């Protein structure tokens, strides 16, 4: 299952997990005219996350015709988990990187994404993994207009698999 942020507006039309977005474009041809699963390509898309899949989603968004593509990451460029060549390629293709930002709400117009509210972060004390934890700067919220949001935050096991597949045991 895709990891989501559990923020207001995540269930709007125009919010995708990265895997759904990539599958729709690459396997289902959603960006092509008369597609059975059409993709609504707008002016601006924010890809939330900083890993290799986020870079793939951002670069694909450029190729399908979004005018402005943002990678939004809550830490700095030094902490991006994506491979350096993936980051370089994304920059070469025109992806804009927005560091030390975290989404807090997705706005809609008629059930479709039309913007997002962010808060600016700063790096605080290290967390349990040793990485400096991003913390919000009070009063730093602002909004940008977007047509699409792609969540590239990773995946987790689907709990339905173990509960519906005979012979699988769960480790609880």
């Amino acid at each position: 299952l895709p990891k989501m942020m559990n923020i207001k507006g995540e269930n709007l039309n125009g919010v995708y997990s990265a895997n759904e977005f990539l599958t729709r474009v690459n396997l289902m041809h959603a960006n092509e005219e008369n597609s059975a699963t059409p993709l609504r390509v707008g002016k601006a898309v924010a890809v939330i996350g900083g890993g290799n899949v986020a870079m793939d989603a951002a670069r694909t968004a450029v190729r399908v015709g979004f005018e402005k593509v943002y990678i939004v990451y809550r830490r700095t460029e030094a902490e991006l988990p994506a491979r350096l060549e993936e980051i370089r390629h994304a920059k070469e293709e025109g992806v804009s990187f927005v560091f030390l930002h975290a989404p807090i709400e997705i706005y809609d117009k008629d059930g479709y994404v039309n913007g997002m509210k962010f808060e600016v972060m700063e790096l605080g004390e290290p967390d349990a993994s040793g990485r400096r934890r991003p913390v919000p700067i009070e009063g730093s919220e602002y909004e940008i207009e977007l047509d699409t949001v792609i969540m590239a935050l990773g995946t987790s096991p689907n709990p339905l698999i173990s509960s519906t597949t005979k012979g699988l045991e769960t480790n609880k």
Side-chain angles (χ1 to χ4, degrees):
L1 288 175
K3 291 183 182 176
M4 301 298 269
M5 295 191 69
N6 298 315
I7 60 175
K8 184 177 178 187
E10 252 181 356
N11 292 324
L12 292 169
N13 291 310
V15 177
Y16 302 94
S17 72
N19 286 342
E20 176 190 6
F21 177 77
L22 291 167
T23 299
R24 288 178 61 144
V25 171
N26 293 316
L27 298 178
M28 301 169 77
H29 309 285
N31 59 309
E32 296 175 8
E33 194 173 324
N34 299 321
S35 170
T37 57
L39 180 69
R40 190 173 169 190
V41 176
K43 291 184 179 188
V45 57
V47 178
I48 312 303
N52 292 324
V53 174
M55 300 303 143
D56 290 344
R59 294 173 67 200
T60 299
V62 168
R63 292 180 195 136
V64 300
F66 283 93
E67 294 173 24
K68 191 68 177 168
V69 178
Y70 302 96
I71 290 272
V72 180
Y73 188 61
R74 64 189 190 129
R75 290 185 164 96
T76 69
E77 184 169 4
E79 286 88 22
L80 277 173
R83 294 189 327 251
L84 292 176
E85 63 269 20
E86 290 284 345
I87 298 165
R88 181 174 50 84
H89 291 308
K91 287 178 179 179
E92 288 171 354
E93 290 189 45
V95 174
S96 297
F97 285 76
V98 182
F99 297 108
L100 292 168
H101 280 64
I104 53 177
E105 185 176 345
I106 303 169
Y107 297 118
D108 76 297
K109 181 178 181 183
D110 302 324
Y112 286 87
V113 171
N114 84 329
M116 184 176 271
K117 184 177 191 178
F118 295 94
E119 60 187 344
V120 180
M121 311 297 276
E122 62 185 351
L123 293 180
E125 296 301 315
D127 61 17
S129 72
R131 292 169 57 186
R132 290 179 63 196
R133 181 187 166 112
V135 292
I137 298 173
E138 192 172 324
S140 66
E141 296 89 6
Y142 71 96
E143 303 167 7
I144 65 168
E145 289 185 21
L146 296 169
D147 304 299
T148 304
V149 175
I150 301 170
M151 297 292 182
L153 303 169
T155 58
S156 60
N158 187 332
L160 290 175
I161 301 298
S162 61
S163 67
T164 60
T165 305
K166 194 172 188 166
L168 290 181
E169 295 178 18
T170 59
N171 296 326
K172 292 186 181 182

